Amino acid sequence: MASVDSTGSSISSRLRSGDLLHAGLAVTLLLGVWCVGGLEVSTGKVSFLRAMNGSTVLLPCTYSSCIGIKNLYFRWDYNDNGTMIKLCDAVIPVEGIEPKVNVEHSRVEFVGTSKGNNISILLWNITFDDEGEYVCFARNPKEKNRNHSAIYTLIVVDQLKEADNTLTVIIVSVLGGVIGLVIIVMVIKALVVHFLLKDDEKNKECLVSSSGNDNTENGLSGAKADNKTTPKA
């Protein structure tokens, strides 16, 4: 019996261990699904910019990680016909610690902050030679050196084209005209109704006064007739 109890206890212990293992795997899978994105960098919803020659532009980039960062390495490069030219790079030790940025371009300024997961840069006094693709790259050792990059395209022009608002002006003018016409119609209708009501009131007054006069005349003639037919005492 002791051996049976021992065997049963051993089997029960194994079952519990198996349940714990399955539960652990399930939690791991759930965490894996939740963190499936891992490290990501983004240059925003619009990944290009059209700017005037001689202006200063912001090249935006932010990073995110579901498990946090440690010694996050980031870099900005300019794609010069297939040759990647480094503009700046740095390492962020942990979240909230500002990095010491190594800038390798005279017109580049780092304006990001680790407190906002921001690694954006400014490019001063752009020229037509600055047109092209800018690559924001990051690598997170905390995620087994997982890395990610995003491309931001800069288009340099002589002058920015003014938006053609002709269609908008036409639509607004038509709507304004229609609204004005409706208001005029409503005003005319209100005036017509007002004058018609006044005419009705005058007609009613005329009918009442005419009816009163008729009754008065009929009463007087009746009285005269009665006086004539009354016999003398």
Side-chain angles (χ1 to χ4, degrees):
M1 292 297 292
S3 61
V4 173
D5 292 341
S6 176
T7 303
S9 176
S10 175
I11 293 173
S12 176
S13 177
R14 289 177 182 176
L15 288 173
R16 284 196 297 270
S17 298
D19 291 340
L20 289 173
L21 179 60
H22 291 158
L25 288 173
V27 171
T28 302
L29 288 173
L30 287 173
L31 289 174
V33 171
W34 180 61
C35 297
V36 68
L39 175 69
E40 288 187 358
V41 294
S42 172
T43 54
K45 294 181 179 180
V46 180
S47 59
F48 69 92
L49 174 67
R50 184 176 283 103
M52 287 183 59
N53 180 33
S55 63
T56 298
V57 297
L58 173 70
L59 304 181
C61 188
T62 57
Y63 65 85
S64 62
S65 173
C66 63
I67 64 171
I69 64 164
K70 185 176 182 181
N71 294 325
L72 175 79
Y73 173 76
F74 72 87
R75 185 180 73 242
W76 273 96
D77 293 311
Y78 172 64
N79 186 356
D80 185 12
N81 296 322
T83 302
M84 304 306 289
I85 300 175
K86 184 167 68 174
L87 303 178
C88 69
D89 67 343
V91 173
I92 303 176
V94 292
E95 294 177 359
I97 302 299
E98 298 301 335
K100 293 182 180 179
V101 183
N102 175 37
V103 178
E104 299 191 7
H105 193 287
S106 60
R107 290 183 288 113
V108 168
E109 178 184 355
F110 179 75
V111 292
T113 171
S114 63
K115 294 179 181 178
N117 295 353
N118 191 329
I119 48 178
S120 305
I121 60 174
L122 279 180
L123 185 58
W124 292 85
N125 301 324
I126 62 172
T127 67
F128 290 104
D129 292 334
D130 295 322
E131 184 171 278
E133 294 182 346
Y134 291 80
V135 181
C136 177
F137 170 87
R139 182 176 65 243
N140 188 16
K142 192 173 181 178
E143 297 181 65
K144 297 182 179 180
N145 285 326
R146 176 182 172 86
N147 61 76
H148 192 240
S149 62
I151 297 174
Y152 196 76
T153 303
L154 176 64
I155 303 169
V156 183
V157 296
D158 279 327
Q159 59 182 3
L160 297 176
K161 293 182 179 179
E162 294 184 1
D164 188 2
N165 296 323
T166 305
L167 181 60
T168 303
V169 171
I170 292 173
I171 293 173
V172 171
S173 300
V174 171
L175 287 176
V178 171
I179 292 171
L181 181 61
V182 169
I183 292 173
I184 292 172
V185 170
M186 290 177 68
V187 171
I188 293 174
K189 182 180 178 181
L191 291 173
V192 170
V193 170
H194 176 70
F195 286 119
L196 287 176
L197 288 175
K198 277 193 170 183
D199 289 339
D200 287 343
E201 289 177 359
K202 287 182 180 179
N203 291 333
K204 287 179 181 179
E205 289 177 359
C206 290
L207 289 174
V208 170
S209 60
S210 175
S211 176
N213 291 335
D214 290 343
N215 291 334
T216 303
E217 291 176 359
N218 290 334
L220 289 174
S221 61
K224 290 179 180 179
D226 289 342
N227 289 334
K228 289 180 181 179
T229 56
T230 301
K232 294 181 181 179

